[in-house]
Amino acid sequence: VRTETTIAGLRAHLKSVRSRAQTVALVPTMGYLHEGHLTLVDRASKRADHVVVSLFVNPLQFGPAEDLATYPRDLSRDSTLTEARGAHTLFAPSVKEMYPKMPEIVITAPALSDRLCGHFRPGHFSGVLTVVAKLFNIVQPDIAVFGQKDFQQSVLIRRMVSDLNLTVEIDVAPIVREPDGLALSSRNIYLSAEQRTAAVALSSALRWSAAQFAQGERSAAALLTAARSLLDGETGVTVQYLELVAPDTLDSVETAKPGDVLAVAAFVGKTRLIDNVVLGA
Ligand code: PAF
């Protein structure tokens, strides 16, 4: 796999790719890839001739008390993993390359960013949207693939593409889980053995409510109470939010319908984990 670290280098390379009439897919990541990311690479390979994976820990999307400094990074490992899955180009720019100066112009989504994770992470989604818009402009992909685990992020990116008439197609891939249900995340490496066991409560709680929905329960209050009691019963898990929302507006619903999303964020020790399930999927 070829690695480009500069915007000019990547653009020159992709110009020659496109001159051979090849289509380009982008998989934006912050690196330290796991199987969830690699399935995004698989999907990208099926949809385009040339797959670019970006690896960039974006400082703009981390809050002052968050894990920017300790976020895991390993370019050579990511390079081996993506090569094995057929990616063609890695784009691994420095912070200086992406932000020679702090951007004055940023993308914000005031209402949608105030919901779910955004409510607890002020500025996070503006940082995400701004870097994703930059990556779209740098790579100019035909398609970009994101993961459903970052559900709110995928909603915001689709909305950005629609509101700003961007030409890229957005594909969102289902969550990849460990055999016991834990959603894969680069942050799972922060968990101790004990916390790793406790963390299963997130997916178990969501699965339990989704099963109740499948059996006919439609009351959001009932579905949330069931999930909440499972989470609250797990020592070491502190729920930040648990909500049942409509998939496009992220508004809370009272009566659940297929396609609504049950989303959770919880701290397991100091590690903040998120997960979600689409009802009736
Ligand atoms: O989902 C992520 O890893 C990041 O938020 C993204 C989309 C790569 C932007 O930095």
Side-chain angles (χ1 to χ4, degrees):
V1 67
R2 176 185 181 123
T3 301
E4 296 287 348
T5 57
T6 67
I7 296 168
L10 180 74
R11 281 193 165 143
H13 171 54
L14 291 178
K15 194 168 172 191
S16 88
V17 166
R18 274 195 206 88
S19 72
R20 300 194 294 273
Q22 295 202 335
T23 52
V24 174
L26 170 65
V27 181
T29 80
M30 299 207 299
Y32 209 74
L33 305 177
H34 52 63
E35 189 56 30
H37 296 114
L38 298 172
T39 64
L40 306 184
V41 175
D42 294 342
R43 276 173 91 99
S45 306
K46 289 201 186 96
R47 299 291 312 277
D49 305 312
H50 191 96
V51 176
V52 179
V53 179
S54 65
L55 308 167
F56 179 62
V57 182
N58 172 34
L60 226 57
Q61 70 188 73
F62 287 78
E66 292 183 353
D67 56 346
L68 173 63
T70 51
Y71 197 86
R73 295 158 167 92
D74 191 340
L75 178 58
S76 76
R77 175 180 172 278
D78 289 343
S79 172
T80 310
L81 289 171
T82 46
E83 177 149 297
R85 300 298 266 262
H88 303 88
T89 304
L90 295 186
F91 178 50
S94 65
V95 171
K96 213 161 178 198
E97 180 72 8
M98 287 297 276
Y99 301 113
K101 47 187 182 300
M102 277 305 279
E104 166 68 7
I105 309 296
V106 294
I107 296 185
T108 59
L112 286 178
S113 291
D114 195 37
R115 307 279 304 118
L116 305 173
C117 292
H119 183 74
F120 299 95
R121 304 186 71 189
H124 169 72
F125 285 114
S126 177
V128 169
L129 292 172
T130 302
V131 82
V132 169
K134 281 167 73 76
L135 289 167
F136 285 174
N137 284 329
I138 292 165
V139 176
Q140 303 193 4
D142 299 281
I143 180 164
V145 189
F146 296 86
Q148 167 73 15
K149 190 170 81 72
D150 294 303
F151 158 64
Q152 185 174 13
Q153 168 172 286
S154 70
V155 171
L156 280 156
I157 288 166
R158 281 190 195 283
R159 186 65 188 264
M160 171 173 78
V161 166
S162 152
D163 284 1
L164 299 182
N165 304 95
L166 307 185
T167 51
V168 58
E169 179 189 338
I170 303 299
D171 181 43
V172 178
I175 298 177
V176 179
R177 299 180 179 282
E178 299 282 4
D180 64 4
L182 178 70
L184 296 197
S185 163
S186 305
R187 292 189 168 100
N188 290 349
I189 59 153
Y190 298 149
L191 302 171
S192 68
E194 207 177 317
Q195 291 167 343
R196 169 66 187 78
T197 308
V200 179
L202 276 75
S203 55
S204 307
L206 298 180
R207 204 162 33 192
W208 174 248
S209 286
Q212 296 209 332
F213 176 83
Q215 283 164 24
E217 181 61 76
R218 291 294 177 269
S219 151
L223 294 168
L224 290 167
T225 305
R228 185 83 205 200
S229 60
L230 260 157
L231 286 160
D232 288 344
E234 187 67 52
T235 336
V237 175
T238 310
V239 176
Q240 187 174 58
Y241 70 75
L242 173 71
E243 286 197 52
L244 181 59
V245 299
D248 42 357
T249 61
L250 304 182
D251 286 337
S252 291
V253 301
E254 280 178 21
T255 306
K257 55 181 185 321
D260 287 344
V261 177
L262 188 56
V264 66
F267 282 93
V268 182
K270 284 195 175 120
T271 306
R272 184 177 177 279
L273 299 177
I274 56 172
D275 199 352
N276 66 84
V277 66
V278 182
L279 296 183

